[in-house]
Amino acid sequence: MSSITRDALKTALMYGLLSIFWLMFSDYVLPFLIEDSIQLARAQLMSGYAWLALSAGSIYLARSRLLGFIGIDARKQQDRDLQHLRLAAAVFDSTLEGVLVTDSGGVIVHVNRAFMSITGYQQDEVLGMRPSKFKSGRHGPDFYERMYKTILAAGQWSGEIWNRRKNGEIYPQWQSIRSIKDDRGSITHFVAVFSDITSIKHSERELAHLAHFDALTGLPNRLLFADRAEQAQTHARRNKQNLALLLIDLDHFKHINDSLGHNIGDEVLKAVSERLAQLMEKGVTLARLGGDEFAVLLENPQQAVQAAELAQGVLDGLREPFLIDAQALFLTASIGISIFPNDALSAEQLLRNADAALFQAKSQGRESYALYTEELTAHAQRRVELTGELRRAIVQNELRVFYQPIHNLQTRRIEGVEALVRWQHPQRGMVSPGEFIPIAEQSGLIADIDNWVLTEACRQMRRWLGDGIGLSFVAVNVSSRLFGRGDLDRRVAQVLSETGLAPHCLELEVTESAVMEDPEQAIEQMHRLRELGLKLSIDDFGTGYSSLLRLKRMPVQTLKIDQGFVAGLPDDEDDIAIVRAIIALAQAMGMRVLAEGIEQAEQAHFLLNNQCELGQGYWFARPMPAEQIDWQHAPVFSLA
Ligand SMILES: Nc1nc2c(ncn2[C@@H]2O[C@H](COP(=O)(O)O[C@H]3[C@@H](O)[C@H](n4cnc5c(=O)[nH]c(N)nc54)O[C@@H]3COP(=O)(O)O)[C@@H](O)[C@H]2O)c(=O)[nH]1
């Protein structure tokens, strides 16, 4: 029953009750109050008229309200409804979301403008059709059944659905479907509102690609590689297969970046990734983990030897020069290999162990590969122990400075000495710096060690000079860690002032690779050191990637030819050419040349013949404690 009917019934009931009450009042109450019959008849007549007037008045009021309602209010309501409808139609038509309305039987009765622009269909092409016309074929019958059931049960459904446009293109939509019911609760219509999410999907794909692939090379990145390694390891475990992980790191790549710039560096990395991809067989995962580090997953190698063969193939393949920006660049790499299940039981451990093997390959002298072994773990543990022991050694004064004479090849006389640190270990005896300097560099202890050696060497040099020994300089090695810190000049100045040594009696040896770590900062540091009045030499010259342009800007007085080139003298054609070139270069730039690692008289002859000025090596004397140096020792060799 509607509220209007209910109100009308209530009013009629009230009117009926009031009429009965009035009749009872005229028929029973009036005769009781008025005894005279003529007056009673008149009063009853008046009461009838009064009831008539009251009823007429009430009917008038009710009627006028009804008319007002039907007339004015109803018109107002009609206007409002019309306005709402117009508004809804405008929204319906101007919304960017497609709208499709079907009747309860699923026949399309209405679509909006956005529907037409998204699907490509015109209104008259779809009215009277069913939405199944747009099916893409991507979803099975189950999908539509579930969707329909949800709409019937919950009144609505929303989700991603793939449909087909008029031009045949399949595209993703985000769609909400709602059922519309009448007063009796029966479904009269279904309204579907949808938006085209093609561009969102595209962005999602791009984001996923960015998150999983390296932007420079397009190879899988560390995240994706770790995921694939995890999956490959699960697969290998399930199928009782092997899995090999190879970590490839380019040797001295930093030098390429520093000397040729980052753009060329990027081009090199792209070319390397392409070369590596060519070297890989199908099914092998190649990734760039970052910087110059690449990784390879080799599934089911029969034995470790297959992984080693792949590593050798990579080393050989990289040997061909890379032609970048019209210049041929030569690159080498080091590779660490770890194998599941022999070396590691998880993907994470596999990666860690390959890293340890890579470290081993680098320590072996680079351009090589190393397989992970138990010894490597033991070696890593040993390094940790050594760091602790070294810390103790510094405090307990177990370090010693040995001095190796540097001879003038013309006069044969000792012109200078190189200070070289040693560790007098209580159990192991004399430990070589080759063993503990790398550990000291990694742990940061090198700063203390170099500082101590510098102070000791300066003190000793003062003593020698005080004893009247005609020595020109003492050379002290500076680690790259210290050189890169920027406050080296301040430290050196402090040591010189503490020991009272004249700055020109001190020569600092800086390795070429230390300079290349940050060439600009290194050159600045060198200038500040030169301002103190001391000398500078470049150690191991020829093993790094110094550009001549940079060398020209370095305030350096001596170039030390690396012992690797001296070893091949006087027979090896390449070493001969390199040594001659370094001597010529140094002379052209007004520098002195010092050849290190001279072990034979023939080498000394050759160097002297080729105008090398200074020489150092076991043939002259080994590094030794200060008091053991024989100042009169002048080895005999003649010009050939
Ligand atoms: N930062 C510091 N580094 C230092 C310091 N002391 C040494 N080192 C560096 O450690 C590396 C190994 O040094 P060492 O074992 O002392 O080897 C030096 C010489 O003993 C060796 N040498 C000299 N002559 C010959 C030879 O005829 N044959 C041959 N096979 N080896 C020879 O060469 C090393 C000289 O090194 P360098 O002149 O510095 O290149 C080494 O890299 C040292 O630099 C220190 O106090 N701080």
Side-chain angles (χ1 to χ4, degrees):
M1 188 188 291
S2 74
S3 60
I4 298 173
T5 318
R6 230 181 357 256
D7 283 354
L9 274 176
K10 261 192 227 163
T11 314
L13 197 69
M14 283 286 287
Y15 185 75
L17 284 172
L18 216 64
S19 301
I20 291 167
F21 175 72
W22 199 270
L23 282 175
M24 282 169 70
F25 173 75
S26 336
D27 291 351
Y28 299 106
V29 179
L30 282 181
F32 187 69
L33 294 173
I34 305 168
E35 284 176 8
D36 180 44
S37 60
I38 295 172
Q39 279 188 1
L40 177 66
R42 196 174 294 149
Q44 281 177 327
L45 189 67
M46 289 310 288
S47 145
Y49 285 140
W51 180 243
L52 210 70
L54 202 68
S55 298
S58 302
I59 288 169
Y60 171 78
L61 279 176
R63 181 92 178 124
S64 65
R65 274 190 65 193
L66 190 68
L67 278 179
F69 173 73
I70 294 170
I72 304 159
D73 288 357
R75 236 187 337 274
K76 270 192 197 157
Q77 185 58 39
Q78 217 170 22
D79 284 351
R80 270 202 297 273
D81 287 351
L82 216 66
Q83 217 169 345
H84 279 149
L85 275 175
R86 272 199 216 106
L87 209 64
V91 171
F92 182 76
D93 236 32
S94 60
T95 178
L96 293 176
E97 292 179 310
V99 180
L100 174 149
V101 183
T102 72
D103 63 14
S104 57
V107 174
I108 302 172
V109 292
H110 211 93
V111 291
N112 71 345
R113 223 179 296 179
F115 170 93
M116 293 187 263
S117 75
I118 294 172
T119 63
Y121 285 106
Q122 290 307 305
Q123 205 171 23
D124 53 0
E125 291 174 299
V126 294
L127 292 185
M129 303 280 176
R130 290 174 180 280
S132 55
K133 181 180 173 65
F134 316 117
K135 272 187 182 174
S136 64
R138 271 217 182 191
H139 310 284
D142 289 1
F143 174 83
Y144 295 103
E145 207 171 297
R146 271 199 309 275
M147 180 174 93
Y148 195 60
K149 272 187 183 159
T150 311
I151 300 170
L152 291 186
Q156 68 155 31
W157 174 91
S158 46
E160 189 182 306
I161 186 165
W162 288 74
N163 273 345
R164 191 185 293 274
R165 296 188 220 270
K166 189 181 174 185
N167 64 10
E169 186 196 341
I170 292 173
Y171 69 106
Q173 293 180 348
W174 184 260
Q175 180 152 287
S176 299
I177 306 176
R178 180 179 276 275
S179 59
I180 309 292
K181 292 179 182 168
D182 62 13
D183 278 354
R184 289 187 307 275
S186 322
I187 292 176
T188 58
H189 294 90
F190 293 100
V191 178
V193 179
F194 62 91
S195 44
D196 181 349
I197 55 169
T198 309
S199 55
I200 296 174
K201 284 269 157 193
H202 187 69
S203 311
E204 272 175 14
R205 269 199 302 276
E206 269 187 358
L207 275 176
H209 193 271
L210 277 178
H212 293 104
F213 289 86
D214 171 47
L216 182 69
T217 61
L219 292 176
N221 64 9
R222 184 179 281 276
L223 194 70
L224 183 55
F225 184 79
D227 192 45
R228 297 229 176 126
E230 201 74 56
Q231 286 174 23
Q233 186 259 338
T234 310
H235 181 266
R237 173 176 295 146
R238 198 174 300 133
N239 297 290
K240 299 200 169 14
Q241 291 176 345
N242 289 333
L243 172 70
L245 196 154
L246 286 77
L247 265 190
I248 306 168
D249 191 273
L250 301 181
D251 297 331
H252 303 299
F253 178 71
K254 192 175 181 321
H255 296 170
I256 292 195
N257 261 344
D258 290 343
S259 50
L260 303 174
H262 283 81
N263 287 348
I264 297 283
D266 283 356
E267 290 306 310
V268 171
L269 287 173
K270 273 198 259 180
V272 168
S273 70
E274 280 161 22
R275 178 87 54 92
L276 288 176
Q278 284 164 11
L279 293 167
M280 299 299 146
E281 288 166 14
K282 258 184 91 185
V284 170
T285 302
L286 169 68
R288 180 179 171 221
L289 302 191
D292 60 345
E293 197 171 62
F294 295 84
V296 173
L297 261 187
L298 177 63
E299 293 193 45
N300 198 20
Q302 291 316 302
Q303 286 163 344
V305 71
Q306 201 183 327
E309 274 168 10
L310 178 64
Q312 190 55 54
V314 168
L315 295 179
D316 294 342
L318 290 178
R319 220 163 267 148
E320 277 288 303
F322 288 83
L323 200 65
I324 310 281
D325 207 20
Q327 50 185 326
L329 296 176
F330 292 85
L331 286 179
T332 59
S334 303
I335 304 174
I337 307 169
S338 152
I339 294 183
F340 172 88
N342 290 6
D343 304 335
L345 291 175
S346 71
E348 200 191 331
Q349 200 184 0
L350 204 60
L351 194 64
R352 237 187 354 254
N353 292 352
D355 200 35
L358 175 65
F359 184 81
Q360 174 73 3
K362 292 264 180 205
S363 318
Q364 265 161 219
R366 301 167 198 263
E367 208 194 354
S368 65
Y369 65 83
L371 284 133
Y372 178 80
T373 56
E374 277 301 316
E375 293 94 79
L376 274 185
T377 318
H379 184 71
Q381 283 165 354
R382 181 85 200 104
R383 288 171 71 83
V384 174
E385 281 167 25
L386 260 182
T387 308
E389 285 183 35
L390 191 55
R391 203 163 271 131
R392 190 215 61 220
I394 297 169
V395 178
Q396 297 188 351
N397 284 327
E398 290 174 11
L399 296 183
R400 306 279 177 271
V401 183
F402 277 27
Y403 298 90
Q404 185 175 35
I406 294 170
H407 289 255
N408 184 310
L409 296 182
Q410 288 280 349
T411 62
R412 327 284 198 265
R413 290 272 157 220
I414 299 176
E415 194 173 318
V417 286
E418 178 179 2
L420 294 158
V421 70
R422 299 287 182 267
W423 177 5
Q424 181 67 60
H425 194 281
Q427 283 86 41
R428 296 170 63 205
M430 204 61 87
V431 182
S432 142
E435 202 176 326
F436 66 87
I437 290 284
I439 294 170
E441 282 184 331
Q442 271 188 359
S443 59
L445 290 172
I446 193 70
D448 290 343
I449 295 177
D450 275 1
N451 209 32
W452 180 80
V453 174
L454 180 68
T455 313
E456 276 301 299
C458 289
R459 264 197 206 120
Q460 184 57 52
M461 184 67 182
R462 278 264 352 229
R463 257 178 245 136
W464 280 323
L465 294 175
D467 292 347
I469 293 168
L471 201 57
S472 300
F473 64 91
V474 61
V476 179
N477 288 282
V478 182
S479 119
S480 57
R481 282 280 298 254
L482 219 61
F483 200 69
R485 276 173 43 162
D487 64 344
L488 182 64
D489 52 322
R490 214 173 35 77
R491 284 162 169 261
V492 174
Q494 196 180 339
V495 171
L496 286 172
S497 106
E498 272 167 22
T499 58
L501 183 70
H504 68 269
C505 296
L506 175 66
E507 181 167 302
L508 292 185
E509 288 190 11
V510 184
T511 60
E512 197 182 7
S513 47
V515 174
M516 292 314 295
E517 274 178 27
D518 187 349
E520 291 311 311
Q521 134 101 3
I523 292 172
E524 270 179 39
Q525 176 63 267
M526 284 175 159
H527 279 286
R528 289 201 298 273
L529 288 167
R530 271 299 286 158
E531 278 164 20
L532 294 178
L534 48 84
K535 294 194 208 92
L536 293 169
S537 65
I538 297 278
D539 204 358
D540 307 336
F541 188 76
T543 57
Y545 273 84
S546 307
S547 77
L548 295 182
L549 208 65
R550 231 166 236 152
L551 187 64
K552 209 176 90 178
R553 291 173 51 211
M554 293 181 199
V556 167
Q557 287 66 59
T558 311
L559 285 189
K560 281 187 85 170
I561 304 175
D562 185 68
Q563 49 182 275
F565 302 125
V566 175
L569 299 178
D571 303 318
D572 188 290
E573 293 298 325
D574 291 340
D575 287 342
I576 291 173
I578 291 169
V579 168
R580 282 190 175 140
I582 296 176
I583 295 171
L585 181 72
Q587 283 173 345
M589 296 177 96
M591 297 176 190
R592 303 180 89 188
V593 197
L594 192 169
E596 63 179 354
I598 301 173
E599 294 186 350
Q600 300 157 17
E602 293 76 21
Q603 292 168 339
H605 289 161
F606 176 92
L607 288 159
L608 181 60
N609 277 340
N610 284 275
Q611 282 85 48
C612 177
E613 212 181 332
L614 301 165
Q616 167 188 5
Y618 294 168
W619 185 68
F620 294 100
R622 285 183 175 262
M624 60 186 94
E627 58 282 3
Q628 289 177 16
I629 297 179
D630 176 3
W631 298 108
Q632 304 313 316
H633 178 63
V636 181
F637 60 95
S638 57
L639 275 168

